[in-house]
Amino acid sequence: MEYRKNDIVTLEIVDCGTDGEGIGKADGFTVFVKDAVIGDIVTAKIMKAKKNYGYGRLMEILKPSPYRVESVCPSARQCGGCQLQAVSYEEQKVFKEKKLRGHLERIGGFRDLPMEPMIGMDEPYHYRNKAQFPVGRNKEGRIITGFYAGRTHAIIENRDCALGIPQNKEILDIVIAHMEKYGIAPYDEMTGKGLVRHIFVRYGFFTGELMVCLIINGQDLPHQKELIEKLREIPGMASISLNINKKRSNVILGDKVKTIWGQEYITDKIGDISYEISPLSFFQVNPKQTWKLYSKALEYADLHGEETVWDLYCGIGTISLFLAQQAKFVRGVEIVPAAIDDAKRNAQINNIENVEFFVGKAEEVLPREYEKNGVYADVIVVDPPRKGCDEMLLKTILKMQPKRVVYVSCDSATLARDLRFLCDNGYELKKVCGVDQFPQTVHVETVVLLSKGEIDSKKVRVEFSLEDMDMSGFQKGATYEQIKAYVLEHTGLKVSSLYISQIKRKCGLDVGQNYNLSKKEDAKVPKCPPEKEAAIRDALKYFQMI
């Protein structure tokens, strides 16, 4: 049967996609349904139809899944920030472990994975120590704040997020009341006019210190003294500031911060290490789980006080300082100068002296220090952004030959790619552990231990050219295997590297010289079918390649 847009279908949800959407089939036609849970029987309206698959809107739950629970937040479906809030927490952990295992097997090609149990939270709500609330007006012209609906800049009104701290609502109520009382306009993205853009809150779970920062499209806030008096009444208030952002862009924070009351920073702890956190500092949003994450990384590093460690993509030195407690010496690398300034200050306040920090790209600093200054590493720890590690960085790790590599990842797809490369060139995957850093969402952190394989008791000198290695996996944005896996999971279609290269060419993307071209002069190259082209284009958009 052929299904079209606006058709109503009845589905049993039998699987879950990587973004948390339910997957069901109707007469062989695959339908992806946001907000549906594995085990549900639902009716869905087809919103977008391809040849073999489509996307549906959940209309009615005819029979709820045994894994379905009542959402804590009434705005959960509209907001989209908590993709799994309707799923029991135990089943959320099952989903994340399955997602992690699937990426390592399909993209990385690993079998018999040495996986440890997923590390979850005892209380999987109210764990975020940071929140950024956009400010705007609703259709009636009333000032509102909340969160952007998925893939839009339409604000879903919410002052009491289930993932945030309870103090958020009191702070938001005070700021909005102040704006209404003194006629202070929220920022309008369409016109570029208005003053208050976002309300930014940080909280120290260990210290109880609160920070409020208003992001404004101007230099000052009218009647700020009156606002300060109200905010100071909240227990734990330690810092109130303005962040100046006059740019017509989607970037939330500007470069300039003006402290209008209290300290320029708040302090919090992860384990025994204290950190000073300013509005511009990067700091993990779930400190309770971060302690578990870093403790696992420290366990995998297996330090005994004699090791030299490199911590790459080190941020404000969170992992570096953790490692320095048990290492001989730690060197951290981060591209953001302000983060390195924070890292150095955090080392000082903790009286940690066996650390050194470098500003720059990890893929530039590590090769430079290795080749020019002869530095080495017993252990290398990497905690890259979602795009994974740079090609040159992985090449340098192979040259340096550390005994252990500890990989901390926020994206299991790029993790799988990087692990495959390292394991194809002398390393062995020893341990994998998922950490649920973001309950109620589809995201999962992972810690992996790689160990240098032992050949025999004698040292063997092997000469090889890193330039000859197959680095085709490091295409900008996503590998071919990632694209194949994404298309299969989201459409049920299998696509070849040839088809992907054809569509990449159509989109003006580099595919490498003669990639997948036949060696026969008169060879006929099959053309990518329209439904597969559409699926590949969706994947390229997902990976932000087009």
Side-chain angles (χ1 to χ4, degrees):
M1 179 176 176
E2 183 178 350
Y3 288 95
R4 298 176 180 174
K5 184 178 179 179
N6 296 324
D7 284 349
I8 303 294
V9 294
T10 300
L11 304 165
E12 178 181 359
I13 304 301
V14 296
D15 204 351
C16 188
T18 55
D19 293 327
E21 69 277 22
I23 302 175
K25 288 185 180 290
D27 301 316
F29 184 76
T30 301
V31 185
F32 299 88
V33 186
K34 180 180 174 292
D35 303 313
V37 175
I38 292 178
D40 279 345
I41 297 177
V42 305
T43 57
K45 183 178 182 179
I46 303 296
M47 305 305 295
K48 186 177 180 180
K50 302 291 185 179
K51 184 176 181 180
N52 299 312
Y53 69 97
Y55 299 94
R57 176 186 293 168
L58 178 63
M59 302 300 290
E60 183 180 1
I61 301 169
L62 302 176
K63 182 180 179 182
S65 163
Y67 308 125
R68 178 175 283 279
V69 296
E70 188 70 27
S71 294
V72 171
C73 175
S75 304
R77 282 189 65 179
Q78 290 176 288
C79 170
C82 297
Q83 304 92 340
L84 301 180
Q85 200 175 116
V87 182
S88 70
Y89 187 56
E90 287 305 311
E91 191 62 21
Q92 288 184 35
K93 290 188 289 185
V94 171
F95 160 77
K96 294 184 182 189
E97 191 164 302
K98 180 181 176 183
K99 176 180 178 178
L100 172 57
R101 185 182 294 274
H103 281 154
L104 292 177
E105 289 178 346
R106 288 192 302 275
I107 298 173
F110 293 100
R111 298 292 179 267
D112 301 321
L113 288 165
M115 288 187 66
E116 299 188 74
M118 175 77 62
I119 298 175
M121 285 197 79
D122 296 330
E123 298 293 335
Y125 287 99
H126 301 294
Y127 59 79
R128 288 186 62 94
N129 61 7
K130 182 182 83 168
Q132 299 165 151
F133 297 89
V135 184
R137 294 189 187 274
N138 63 10
K139 293 179 180 178
E140 290 74 39
R142 183 169 53 86
I143 298 174
I144 61 170
T145 186
F147 299 100
Y148 292 127
R151 299 181 182 181
T152 76
H153 270 219
I155 298 175
I156 304 301
E157 187 171 7
N158 184 350
R159 300 189 191 183
D160 192 15
C161 173
L163 303 189
I165 58 172
Q167 294 94 322
N168 282 340
K169 184 177 186 305
E170 186 176 2
I171 292 167
L172 297 175
D173 287 347
I174 289 173
V175 175
I176 297 301
H178 180 82
M179 293 176 65
E180 291 172 339
K181 180 177 180 179
Y182 294 105
I184 301 171
Y187 180 72
D188 187 326
E189 289 186 337
M190 300 298 293
T191 64
K193 297 181 179 179
L195 185 63
V196 180
R197 302 173 69 128
H198 282 77
I199 302 167
F200 179 98
V201 181
R202 282 193 188 272
Y203 178 66
F205 273 92
F206 183 85
T207 62
E209 293 181 353
L210 271 168
M211 168 185 287
V212 175
C213 180
L214 302 188
I215 294 90
I216 60 173
N217 178 41
Q219 292 295 331
D220 293 292
L221 183 74
H223 301 278
Q224 67 184 33
K225 181 179 178 181
E226 289 84 349
L227 178 62
I228 290 169
E229 291 303 316
K230 289 288 185 182
L231 291 174
R232 284 180 59 185
E233 296 175 4
I234 302 174
M237 188 62 63
S239 175
I240 304 174
S241 61
L242 303 176
N243 176 265
I244 313 303
N245 183 3
K246 298 181 181 180
K247 296 179 180 178
R248 296 283 296 269
S249 72
N250 293 332
V251 177
I252 293 176
L253 288 166
D255 297 328
K256 184 179 179 181
V257 177
K258 294 170 57 178
T259 301
I260 58 176
W261 180 83
Q263 305 166 176
E264 295 180 356
Y265 56 85
I266 60 171
T267 303
D268 204 14
K269 280 191 171 186
I270 298 176
D272 295 328
I273 306 296
S274 296
Y275 301 90
E276 290 182 355
I277 311 159
S278 73
L280 299 179
S281 297
F282 171 80
F283 193 68
Q284 292 280 3
V285 299
N286 186 344
K288 293 181 180 179
Q289 288 300 93
T290 298
W291 178 81
K292 297 177 184 178
L293 179 74
Y294 290 176
S295 296
K296 182 60 67 173
L298 188 60
E299 174 193 326
Y300 283 3
D302 191 23
L303 303 175
H304 301 280
E306 299 299 323
E307 296 87 358
T308 295
V309 182
W310 278 83
D311 176 21
L312 309 176
Y313 310 97
C314 71
I316 64 170
T318 43
I319 295 182
S320 302
L321 301 183
F322 238 64
L323 298 167
Q325 297 174 101
Q326 297 184 21
K328 179 181 179 180
F329 200 85
V330 177
R331 294 181 174 93
V333 183
E334 172 60 49
I335 192 173
V336 181
I340 290 297
D341 290 340
D342 287 344
K344 292 177 179 177
R345 188 172 65 253
N346 288 326
Q348 289 176 349
I349 66 175
N350 288 282
N351 297 313
I352 294 175
E353 298 180 348
N354 58 331
V355 291
E356 182 181 10
F357 294 102
F358 298 83
V359 176
K361 295 181 180 179
E363 58 270 21
E364 294 176 358
V365 173
L366 189 66
R368 181 192 71 212
E369 293 298 313
Y370 171 70
E371 293 169 6
K372 292 185 178 181
N373 299 322
V375 300
Y376 69 96
D378 298 297
V379 178
I380 289 180
V381 177
V382 295
D383 185 9
R386 292 193 178 281
K387 66 179 182 179
C389 290
D390 183 87
E391 168 189 342
M392 183 55 66
L393 180 64
L394 294 180
K395 286 183 177 182
T396 305
I397 290 174
L398 291 175
K399 285 183 180 181
M400 293 179 72
Q401 301 278 295
K403 297 173 185 176
R404 291 176 294 283
V405 175
V406 179
Y407 197 132
V408 181
S409 170
C410 60
D411 188 300
S412 52
T414 54
L415 168 69
R417 176 202 69 192
D418 292 350
L419 294 182
R420 180 71 274 156
F421 176 71
L422 291 171
C423 289
D424 281 346
N425 292 285
Y427 280 87
E428 183 179 353
L429 182 60
K430 288 290 189 180
K431 293 181 180 179
V432 180
C433 185
V435 180
D436 190 13
Q437 191 87 339
F438 308 103
Q440 317 308 325
T441 80
V442 297
H443 304 296
V444 59
E445 296 275 325
T446 311
V447 188
V448 173
L449 170 62
L450 296 174
S451 179
K452 187 62 188 166
E454 295 293 335
I455 300 174
D456 57 32
S457 59
K458 297 180 180 180
K459 290 184 178 179
V460 178
R461 180 177 177 82
V462 179
E463 293 188 2
F464 59 92
S465 171
L466 288 167
E467 284 71 25
D468 291 337
M469 290 182 181
D470 178 16
M471 299 301 293
S472 60
F474 291 89
Q475 304 295 326
K476 183 179 179 181
T479 67
Y480 280 74
E481 292 306 314
Q482 282 178 271
I483 294 169
K484 290 177 186 178
Y486 179 89
V487 170
L488 183 62
E489 288 185 15
H490 287 76
T491 68
L493 297 172
K494 292 184 178 180
V495 295
S496 66
S497 296
L498 174 62
Y499 287 162
I500 294 172
S501 66
Q502 287 178 3
I503 306 311
K504 287 181 73 175
R505 282 194 183 94
K506 278 189 176 184
C507 296
L509 299 175
D510 180 29
V511 296
Q513 187 176 7
N514 297 327
Y515 189 88
N516 258 340
L517 296 181
S518 174
K519 295 180 181 179
K520 298 179 181 179
E521 293 183 2
D522 58 347
K524 293 183 178 179
V525 180
K527 185 178 180 182
C528 182
E531 68 274 12
K532 292 189 176 183
E533 177 173 346
I536 292 169
R537 285 181 180 271
D538 282 344
L540 296 179
K541 289 178 183 177
Y542 173 80
F543 288 112
Q544 299 181 0
M545 297 170 74
I546 59 174

